[in-house]
Amino acid sequence: MMLHLTTCADDLDIAVNLLRAGKLVALPTETVYGLAADATSAGAVRAIFHAKGRPADHPLIVHIAAAEQLPVWADQVPEAAWRLASAFWPGPLTLVLPVAPAVSPLLTGGQATIALRVPAHPVFQAVLRRFGRGLAAPSANPFGRISPTTAAHVQRHLAGRIAAVVDGGPCPVGIESTIVDLSGDQPRILRPGAITIGDLARYLTRVEASAMAAPRVPGTLASHYAPRTPCYRIPPDLPEAPFAGQRLGLLATRPVNWPVAKFWPMSANPEDYARVLYSTLHQADASDCDVLLIALPPDEPAWTAVHDRIRRATRSLLMEAGRVGH
Protein backbone atom coordinates (compact mmCIF):
# COMPACT_ATOMS: atom_id res chain seq x y z
CA MET A 1 0.00 0.00 0.00
CA MET A 2 1.35 3.42 -0.95
CA LEU A 3 0.85 6.17 1.63
CA HIS A 4 -0.56 9.47 0.38
CA LEU A 5 1.11 12.08 2.57
CA THR A 6 0.44 15.79 2.90
CA THR A 7 2.97 18.59 3.32
CA CYS A 8 2.36 19.02 7.05
CA ALA A 9 5.37 18.64 9.36
CA ASP A 10 4.25 15.28 10.76
CA ASP A 11 3.82 13.78 7.29
CA LEU A 12 7.21 15.09 6.17
CA ASP A 13 8.73 13.38 9.20
CA ILE A 14 7.06 10.14 8.09
CA ALA A 15 8.55 10.61 4.62
CA VAL A 16 12.02 11.17 6.06
CA ASN A 17 11.77 8.10 8.29
CA LEU A 18 10.77 5.99 5.29
CA LEU A 19 13.77 7.31 3.36
CA ARG A 20 16.08 6.53 6.28
CA ALA A 21 14.70 2.99 6.23
CA GLY A 22 15.73 2.63 2.59
CA LYS A 23 12.21 3.05 1.18
CA LEU A 24 11.15 4.98 -1.93
CA VAL A 25 9.13 8.19 -1.55
CA ALA A 26 7.83 10.31 -4.43
CA LEU A 27 8.37 14.02 -3.78
CA PRO A 28 7.29 17.12 -5.71
CA THR A 29 9.91 19.28 -7.35
CA GLU A 30 9.33 22.43 -9.37
CA THR A 31 9.85 20.34 -12.53
CA VAL A 32 8.18 16.91 -12.07
CA TYR A 33 7.63 14.51 -9.18
CA GLY A 34 10.84 12.68 -8.29
CA LEU A 35 11.20 9.14 -6.96
CA ALA A 36 13.48 9.79 -4.02
CA ALA A 37 15.80 7.37 -2.28
CA ASP A 38 18.86 7.65 -0.03
CA ALA A 39 21.70 8.29 -2.49
CA THR A 40 24.20 6.76 -0.03
CA SER A 41 22.34 3.43 0.21
CA ALA A 42 23.07 0.86 -2.50
CA GLY A 43 19.90 -1.04 -1.64
CA ALA A 44 17.71 2.06 -1.86
CA VAL A 45 19.26 3.10 -5.17
CA ARG A 46 18.74 -0.37 -6.63
CA ALA A 47 15.11 -0.17 -5.53
CA ILE A 48 14.65 2.89 -7.79
CA PHE A 49 15.76 0.90 -10.84
CA HIS A 50 13.47 -1.98 -9.90
CA ALA A 51 10.40 0.21 -9.26
CA LYS A 52 10.80 2.13 -12.53
CA GLY A 53 12.03 -0.72 -14.70
CA ARG A 54 15.00 1.50 -15.43
CA PRO A 55 18.16 0.18 -17.14
CA ALA A 56 21.07 -0.06 -14.72
CA ASP A 57 23.36 1.92 -17.01
CA HIS A 58 21.02 4.94 -17.01
CA PRO A 59 22.42 7.45 -14.47
CA LEU A 60 20.42 9.18 -11.74
CA ILE A 61 20.32 12.82 -10.65
CA VAL A 62 21.33 13.36 -7.05
CA HIS A 63 19.45 16.18 -5.33
CA ILE A 64 21.28 18.11 -2.64
CA ALA A 65 20.17 20.85 -0.25
CA ALA A 66 22.73 23.50 -1.21
CA ALA A 67 25.63 24.19 -3.56
CA GLU A 68 28.04 23.93 -0.64
CA GLN A 69 27.55 20.15 -0.79
CA LEU A 70 28.95 19.89 -4.34
CA PRO A 71 32.43 18.72 -3.20
CA VAL A 72 30.85 15.75 -1.42
CA TRP A 73 29.69 14.37 -4.75
CA ALA A 74 31.88 15.99 -7.42
CA ASP A 75 35.63 15.99 -7.88
CA GLN A 76 37.43 19.25 -8.74
CA VAL A 77 34.34 21.45 -9.05
CA PRO A 78 35.08 24.00 -11.81
CA GLU A 79 34.55 27.70 -11.31
CA ALA A 80 31.78 27.66 -13.93
CA ALA A 81 29.77 25.30 -11.71
CA TRP A 82 29.91 27.74 -8.81
CA ARG A 83 28.81 30.56 -11.12
CA LEU A 84 25.82 28.65 -12.42
CA ALA A 85 24.91 27.39 -8.97
CA SER A 86 24.94 30.94 -7.63
CA ALA A 87 22.72 32.11 -10.49
CA PHE A 88 20.22 29.26 -10.82
CA TRP A 89 20.15 27.16 -7.62
CA PRO A 90 17.79 26.33 -6.10
CA GLY A 91 16.11 25.79 -9.46
CA PRO A 92 15.57 23.61 -12.55
CA LEU A 93 19.23 23.19 -13.51
CA THR A 94 21.25 19.97 -13.32
CA LEU A 95 25.04 20.07 -13.55
CA VAL A 96 27.11 17.14 -14.82
CA LEU A 97 30.51 17.11 -13.14
CA PRO A 98 33.45 14.73 -12.61
CA VAL A 99 32.36 12.29 -9.91
CA ALA A 100 34.05 12.11 -6.52
CA PRO A 101 35.94 8.83 -5.93
CA ALA A 102 33.74 7.67 -3.06
CA VAL A 103 30.43 7.95 -4.97
CA SER A 104 28.74 4.69 -5.92
CA PRO A 105 28.77 3.79 -9.64
CA LEU A 106 25.12 2.83 -9.20
CA LEU A 107 24.33 6.56 -9.31
CA THR A 108 26.43 7.28 -12.39
CA GLY A 109 25.66 4.30 -14.59
CA GLY A 110 29.33 3.37 -14.28
CA GLN A 111 30.50 6.67 -15.79
CA ALA A 112 33.11 9.13 -14.54
CA THR A 113 30.51 11.89 -14.13
CA ILE A 114 27.61 12.62 -11.80
CA ALA A 115 24.46 14.72 -12.27
CA LEU A 116 23.61 17.09 -9.40
CA ARG A 117 20.79 19.52 -8.68
CA VAL A 118 19.45 21.73 -5.87
CA PRO A 119 15.65 21.68 -6.23
CA ALA A 120 13.62 24.80 -5.50
CA HIS A 121 10.38 23.17 -4.36
CA PRO A 122 9.87 23.93 -0.63
CA VAL A 123 8.64 20.38 0.10
CA PHE A 124 11.71 18.72 -1.41
CA GLN A 125 13.93 21.27 0.32
CA ALA A 126 12.27 20.56 3.68
CA VAL A 127 12.82 16.82 3.24
CA LEU A 128 16.46 17.32 2.24
CA ARG A 129 17.12 19.45 5.32
CA ARG A 130 15.50 16.90 7.61
CA PHE A 131 17.16 13.96 5.89
CA GLY A 132 20.65 15.43 5.92
CA ARG A 133 22.01 13.53 2.89
CA GLY A 134 21.62 13.56 -0.86
CA LEU A 135 18.57 11.99 -2.48
CA ALA A 136 18.66 10.25 -5.84
CA ALA A 137 15.40 11.16 -7.56
CA PRO A 138 14.56 10.39 -11.19
CA SER A 139 11.01 11.08 -12.34
CA ALA A 140 8.43 9.02 -10.43
CA ASN A 141 7.03 7.04 -13.34
CA PRO A 142 7.72 3.79 -15.19
CA PHE A 143 10.83 4.20 -17.31
CA GLY A 144 10.20 5.89 -20.64
CA ARG A 145 6.60 6.88 -19.89
CA ILE A 146 5.00 10.28 -19.28
CA SER A 147 6.60 12.10 -16.36
CA PRO A 148 4.29 12.83 -13.39
CA THR A 149 3.38 16.39 -12.46
CA THR A 150 0.78 15.54 -9.78
CA ALA A 151 0.59 13.02 -6.95
CA ALA A 152 -2.33 11.36 -8.76
CA HIS A 153 -0.05 10.56 -11.71
CA VAL A 154 2.39 8.86 -9.33
CA GLN A 155 -0.37 6.86 -7.66
CA ARG A 156 -1.78 5.73 -10.98
CA HIS A 157 1.49 4.30 -12.23
CA LEU A 158 3.56 3.31 -9.16
CA ALA A 159 0.98 2.11 -6.62
CA GLY A 160 2.26 -1.05 -5.00
CA ARG A 161 5.86 -0.32 -6.01
CA ILE A 162 6.83 2.49 -3.62
CA ALA A 163 6.20 3.38 0.02
CA ALA A 164 4.64 6.85 -0.26
CA VAL A 165 3.98 10.00 -2.23
CA VAL A 166 3.99 13.48 -0.71
CA ASP A 167 1.28 15.53 -2.37
CA GLY A 168 2.64 19.01 -3.03
CA GLY A 169 0.14 19.87 -5.76
CA PRO A 170 0.91 20.36 -9.46
CA CYS A 171 4.54 21.04 -10.40
CA PRO A 172 4.91 24.69 -11.47
CA VAL A 173 7.49 24.17 -14.27
CA GLY A 174 6.11 20.91 -15.61
CA ILE A 175 9.10 19.57 -17.59
CA GLU A 176 12.44 18.22 -16.44
CA SER A 177 15.45 20.36 -15.58
CA THR A 178 17.99 21.72 -18.04
CA ILE A 179 21.13 19.54 -17.94
CA VAL A 180 24.51 21.19 -18.51
CA ASP A 181 27.70 19.15 -18.85
CA LEU A 182 30.69 20.83 -17.21
CA SER A 183 32.89 17.74 -17.12
CA GLY A 184 34.86 18.56 -20.27
CA ASP A 185 36.59 21.52 -21.86
CA GLN A 186 33.41 23.06 -23.23
CA PRO A 187 30.06 23.53 -21.39
CA ARG A 188 27.27 21.74 -23.26
CA ILE A 189 23.51 21.58 -22.85
CA LEU A 190 22.60 17.90 -22.86
CA ARG A 191 18.89 18.37 -22.19
CA PRO A 192 16.98 21.64 -22.71
CA GLY A 193 14.62 22.91 -20.05
CA ALA A 194 13.18 26.03 -18.49
CA ILE A 195 16.66 27.54 -18.15
CA THR A 196 17.60 28.34 -21.74
CA ILE A 197 20.86 28.66 -23.62
CA GLY A 198 20.37 32.44 -23.50
CA ASP A 199 20.04 32.33 -19.70
CA LEU A 200 23.21 30.27 -19.39
CA ALA A 201 25.19 32.42 -21.82
CA ARG A 202 25.06 35.30 -19.35
CA TYR A 203 27.24 33.28 -16.98
CA LEU A 204 29.42 31.27 -19.36
CA THR A 205 31.87 32.56 -21.93
CA ARG A 206 30.62 29.88 -24.31
CA VAL A 207 28.00 27.14 -24.20
CA GLU A 208 26.93 24.63 -26.85
CA ALA A 209 23.67 22.75 -27.35
CA SER A 210 25.27 19.46 -28.27
CA ALA A 211 25.28 15.95 -26.85
CA MET A 212 28.01 14.58 -29.14
CA ALA A 213 30.42 12.35 -27.19
CA ALA A 214 28.65 13.44 -24.01
CA PRO A 215 28.00 11.44 -20.84
CA ARG A 216 24.76 9.49 -20.66
CA VAL A 217 22.22 11.56 -18.75
CA PRO A 218 18.56 11.15 -17.81
CA GLY A 219 15.82 11.87 -20.31
CA THR A 220 17.87 11.91 -23.50
CA LEU A 221 16.83 8.65 -25.13
CA ALA A 222 15.26 9.02 -28.55
CA SER A 223 11.99 7.63 -27.16
CA HIS A 224 11.00 8.94 -23.75
CA TYR A 225 8.11 10.63 -21.91
CA ALA A 226 5.76 8.58 -24.12
CA PRO A 227 2.08 7.76 -23.59
CA ARG A 228 0.91 4.19 -24.10
CA THR A 229 -1.55 5.33 -26.77
CA PRO A 230 0.14 5.68 -30.20
CA CYS A 231 1.21 9.32 -30.39
CA TYR A 232 2.40 11.31 -33.42
CA ARG A 233 3.68 14.83 -34.01
CA ILE A 234 2.13 16.62 -36.97
CA PRO A 235 2.59 19.94 -38.78
CA PRO A 236 0.25 22.61 -37.38
CA ASP A 237 -1.29 23.17 -40.81
CA LEU A 238 -1.95 19.55 -41.81
CA PRO A 239 -4.79 19.88 -44.37
CA GLU A 240 -6.46 16.49 -43.90
CA ALA A 241 -7.04 14.05 -41.05
CA PRO A 242 -4.60 11.15 -40.86
CA PHE A 243 -5.51 7.64 -39.68
CA ALA A 244 -8.94 7.43 -41.27
CA GLY A 245 -11.51 5.60 -39.18
CA GLN A 246 -9.58 6.07 -35.92
CA ARG A 247 -10.72 8.08 -32.91
CA LEU A 248 -8.22 10.95 -32.92
CA GLY A 249 -7.18 13.06 -29.96
CA LEU A 250 -5.42 16.34 -30.71
CA LEU A 251 -3.20 18.63 -28.62
CA ALA A 252 -2.77 21.96 -30.41
CA THR A 253 -2.65 25.69 -29.83
CA ARG A 254 -5.57 26.12 -32.24
CA PRO A 255 -8.27 23.86 -33.73
CA VAL A 256 -7.84 22.10 -37.08
CA ASN A 257 -10.24 22.05 -40.03
CA TRP A 258 -10.92 18.33 -39.79
CA PRO A 259 -12.85 16.38 -37.16
CA VAL A 260 -11.26 14.94 -34.02
CA ALA A 261 -12.86 12.89 -31.27
CA LYS A 262 -11.23 15.00 -28.53
CA PHE A 263 -9.36 18.29 -28.59
CA TRP A 264 -7.10 19.58 -25.84
CA PRO A 265 -6.33 23.30 -26.37
CA MET A 266 -2.74 24.22 -25.55
CA SER A 267 -1.33 27.63 -24.65
CA ALA A 268 0.50 29.78 -27.20
CA ASN A 269 2.93 30.74 -24.41
CA PRO A 270 5.86 28.28 -24.19
CA GLU A 271 6.13 28.36 -20.38
CA ASP A 272 2.40 27.77 -19.93
CA TYR A 273 2.47 25.04 -22.58
CA ALA A 274 5.36 23.27 -20.82
CA ARG A 275 3.59 23.52 -17.45
CA VAL A 276 0.61 21.47 -18.64
CA LEU A 277 2.15 19.30 -21.38
CA TYR A 278 2.57 16.16 -19.28
CA SER A 279 -0.69 16.56 -17.36
CA THR A 280 -2.52 16.93 -20.69
CA LEU A 281 -0.77 13.86 -22.10
CA HIS A 282 -1.85 11.91 -19.01
CA GLN A 283 -5.46 12.96 -19.66
CA ALA A 284 -5.20 12.09 -23.33
CA ASP A 285 -3.62 8.71 -22.61
CA ALA A 286 -6.50 7.86 -20.25
CA SER A 287 -9.12 8.81 -22.88
CA ASP A 288 -10.78 6.47 -25.36
CA CYS A 289 -8.81 7.84 -28.31
CA ASP A 290 -7.10 5.34 -30.61
CA VAL A 291 -4.38 7.75 -31.71
CA LEU A 292 -3.01 10.96 -30.19
CA LEU A 293 -1.69 13.80 -32.34
CA ILE A 294 0.38 16.78 -31.21
CA ALA A 295 0.47 19.74 -33.58
CA LEU A 296 3.96 21.16 -33.36
CA PRO A 297 4.25 24.64 -31.79
CA PRO A 298 6.39 27.40 -33.35
CA ASP A 299 9.95 26.48 -34.29
CA GLU A 300 11.51 29.22 -32.18
CA PRO A 301 14.21 29.24 -29.45
CA ALA A 302 11.67 29.82 -26.68
CA TRP A 303 10.05 26.49 -27.60
CA THR A 304 13.24 24.38 -27.65
CA ALA A 305 12.50 22.40 -24.47
CA VAL A 306 8.88 21.78 -25.47
CA HIS A 307 9.96 20.56 -28.91
CA ASP A 308 12.49 18.24 -27.27
CA ARG A 309 9.84 16.61 -25.04
CA ILE A 310 7.33 16.30 -27.89
CA ARG A 311 9.93 14.73 -30.16
CA ARG A 312 10.83 12.11 -27.55
CA ALA A 313 7.18 11.38 -26.66
CA THR A 314 5.96 10.92 -30.24
CA ARG A 315 6.65 9.37 -33.59
CA SER A 316 6.87 11.43 -36.75
CA LEU A 317 3.76 11.28 -38.92
CA LEU A 318 6.01 11.42 -41.99
CA MET A 319 7.65 8.16 -40.91
CA GLU A 320 4.22 6.53 -40.86
CA ALA A 321 3.11 7.79 -44.28
CA GLY A 322 2.04 4.34 -45.34
CA ARG A 323 -0.53 4.25 -42.55
CA VAL A 324 -2.05 7.66 -43.20
CA GLY A 325 -5.57 7.70 -44.66
CA HIS A 326 -7.25 10.49 -46.57
Side-chain angles (χ1 to χ4, degrees):
M1 177 181 176
M2 182 169 66
L3 297 176
H4 189 125
L5 303 175
T6 71
T7 59
C8 73
D10 288 346
D11 275 9
L12 293 186
D13 287 339
I14 292 172
V16 170
N17 288 335
L18 288 170
L19 290 166
R20 286 175 177 157
K23 305 297 184 182
L24 304 182
V25 178
L27 298 171
T29 79
E30 67 276 23
T31 57
V32 300
Y33 274 70
L35 185 55
D38 183 353
T40 67
S41 166
V45 172
R46 288 192 183 98
I48 289 178
F49 290 94
H50 179 73
K52 285 178 60 72
R54 185 185 183 96
D57 66 350
H58 207 61
L60 302 175
I61 295 175
V62 174
H63 295 66
I64 57 179
E68 289 73 23
Q69 296 174 12
L70 275 174
V72 175
W73 302 93
D75 188 34
Q76 299 177 350
V77 180
E79 194 274 334
W82 295 114
R83 266 201 321 274
L84 294 182
S86 177
F88 299 110
W89 279 358
L93 176 69
T94 295
L95 300 181
V96 174
L97 299 166
V99 66
V103 173
S104 169
L106 291 172
L107 297 168
T108 67
Q111 300 181 108
T113 56
I114 188 163
L116 298 163
R117 172 162 113 82
V118 176
H121 199 288
V123 171
F124 208 123
Q125 274 287 330
V127 171
L128 280 169
R129 290 194 296 270
R130 285 170 164 84
F131 188 66
R133 298 190 292 277
L135 290 171
S139 56
N141 59 298
F143 183 72
R145 295 301 176 187
I146 311 168
S147 296
T149 56
T150 68
H153 297 157
V154 178
Q155 287 185 304
R156 188 175 304 127
H157 296 289
L158 292 182
R161 302 191 198 182
I162 68 175
V165 58
V166 177
D167 191 343
C171 299
V173 174
I175 58 173
E176 296 80 3
S177 60
T178 304
I179 298 180
V180 177
D181 176 21
L182 296 176
S183 65
D185 296 333
Q186 177 62 49
R188 292 173 293 177
I189 298 176
L190 305 187
R191 181 177 71 185
I195 295 172
T196 67
I197 190 169
D199 298 328
L200 295 164
R202 293 198 292 269
Y203 301 93
L204 298 170
T205 55
R206 187 179 171 193
V207 61
E208 296 177 352
S210 169
M212 294 182 61
R216 293 187 307 277
V217 293
T220 55
L221 296 181
S223 177
H224 216 72
Y225 318 120
R228 297 186 185 278
T229 307
C231 190
Y232 296 86
R233 57 190 180 272
I234 64 172
D237 54 354
L238 192 69
E240 297 178 326
F243 303 104
Q246 302 288 303
R247 287 180 56 82
L248 301 179
L250 174 67
L251 285 68
T253 58
R254 61 180 186 269
V256 292
N257 292 321
W258 34 266
V260 294
K262 295 194 177 180
F263 174 60
W264 287 271
M266 303 296 288
S267 174
N269 176 281
E271 292 181 2
D272 292 338
Y273 190 114
R275 187 176 299 116
V276 302
L277 173 59
Y278 290 151
S279 61
T280 306
L281 278 176
H282 278 284
Q283 293 176 39
D285 202 23
S287 73
D288 58 357
C289 292
D290 300 316
V291 178
L292 302 178
L293 305 173
I294 302 181
L296 289 170
D299 186 12
E300 300 171 358
W303 291 89
T304 298
V306 168
H307 272 274
D308 175 81
R309 302 314 190 273
I310 291 174
R311 178 172 57 83
R312 297 180 194 282
T314 62
R315 287 174 276 183
S316 170
L317 185 66
L318 297 179
M319 300 293 289
E320 302 287 329
R323 296 178 54 191
V324 175
H326 297 282

